[in-house]
Amino acid sequence: MDEKIERKIDMKYAVTYLRVSTTEQVDNFSLDTQSEQTNAKAIKEGYTVKKDFKEEGQSAKSTNRPALQQLLTYCLDKKNEIDAVFVYKWDRLSRNQLDFLSLRHMLSQHGIDIISATETSGNTPEALFLQNILSAAAQYENDLKSSRVKDGMKKRFLAGYTTRGVPIGYKAGIIDGRSCGVPD
């Protein structure tokens, strides 16, 4: 029997993708927790983890993240023989539904499953439907948070406070003892 075919019968190889969105989370136990749980799930499912990809302090709003791009390159290289990518939760992979679906589709086209250590996984209609719902919920949560931050920044600006830098058409000034933007 061919060695490569024999390997496919006996061994299943995987990688893990671990991500936190802020530098503060890098310093706590979040990445360690994700690593422990994804590796434990992989072992339980009969996979040998070949590599961990860690994204430290990166938002999942887009797929333009260094470790994610390295993971894709590694997984799509046939010589690495990857059968699955393990994530802690679906939103660790992406918080944008279209990106999540695109990543899932791309990997599945190469025979690579994405498996969550903490949420429903699989390729049944029910599992795929639930993944779609969870990816939509992650995007909704992100979009809602973004909207609230923008509203807060606008309110702060309209109250006379500067947020980051002074916008074009304004200059830094002090009114009633507080730093704010005044028309230039």
Side-chain angles (χ1 to χ4, degrees):
M1 185 178 274
D2 186 281
E3 271 186 50
K4 191 167 187 103
I5 293 171
E6 200 171 301
R7 195 278 319 166
K8 283 290 186 187
I9 294 169
D10 297 331
M11 299 292 296
K12 296 189 296 185
Y13 294 118
V15 296
T16 66
Y17 179 72
L18 318 167
R19 183 190 65 78
V20 292
S21 54
T22 66
T23 52
E24 292 81 23
Q25 291 172 312
V26 172
D27 296 331
N28 66 24
F29 297 103
S30 185
L31 282 172
D32 292 339
T33 300
Q34 289 181 41
S35 180
E36 288 168 12
Q37 293 206 13
T38 54
N39 279 279
K41 176 78 170 183
I43 291 167
K44 181 180 176 188
E45 298 289 326
Y47 288 86
T48 298
V49 175
K50 289 180 109 177
K51 190 168 181 155
D52 294 318
F53 291 87
K54 292 183 180 182
E55 202 81 72
E56 299 181 355
Q58 293 284 322
S59 169
K61 292 179 186 176
S62 83
T63 58
N64 190 19
R65 291 172 264 148
L68 179 61
Q69 292 304 312
Q70 291 167 9
L71 175 141
L72 293 172
T73 300
Y74 186 86
C75 287
L76 300 181
D77 185 342
K78 294 272 186 218
K79 73 176 182 189
N80 292 318
E81 302 176 324
I82 300 303
D83 301 299
V85 174
F86 281 81
V87 294
Y88 178 70
K89 288 178 55 177
W90 298 117
D91 69 1
R92 299 298 82 202
L93 189 59
S94 181
R95 294 187 69 82
N96 175 294
Q97 187 176 30
L98 183 57
D99 288 345
F100 174 80
L101 295 172
S102 296
L103 289 167
R104 185 175 71 188
H105 178 74
M106 179 194 326
L107 291 168
S108 72
Q109 293 295 101
H110 291 85
I112 301 170
D113 293 322
I114 305 173
I115 301 170
S116 172
T118 60
E119 297 170 324
T120 301
S121 298
N123 292 314
T124 66
E126 297 82 6
L128 295 172
F129 178 67
L130 187 54
Q131 292 168 28
N132 292 343
I133 289 173
L134 292 172
S135 68
Q139 180 171 338
Y140 170 72
E141 180 184 19
N142 237 32
D143 292 348
L144 188 60
K145 208 182 305 178
S146 175
S147 178
R148 288 180 180 157
V149 167
K150 286 177 189 170
D151 289 347
M153 289 174 70
K154 181 179 178 182
K155 188 172 184 176
R156 179 178 167 82
F157 177 75
L158 292 174
Y161 293 95
T162 55
T163 48
R164 293 182 185 140
V166 180
I168 295 173
Y170 289 80
K171 62 182 179 180
I174 297 178
I175 298 176
D176 297 330
R178 63 182 180 197
S179 173
C180 60
V182 294
D184 189 5

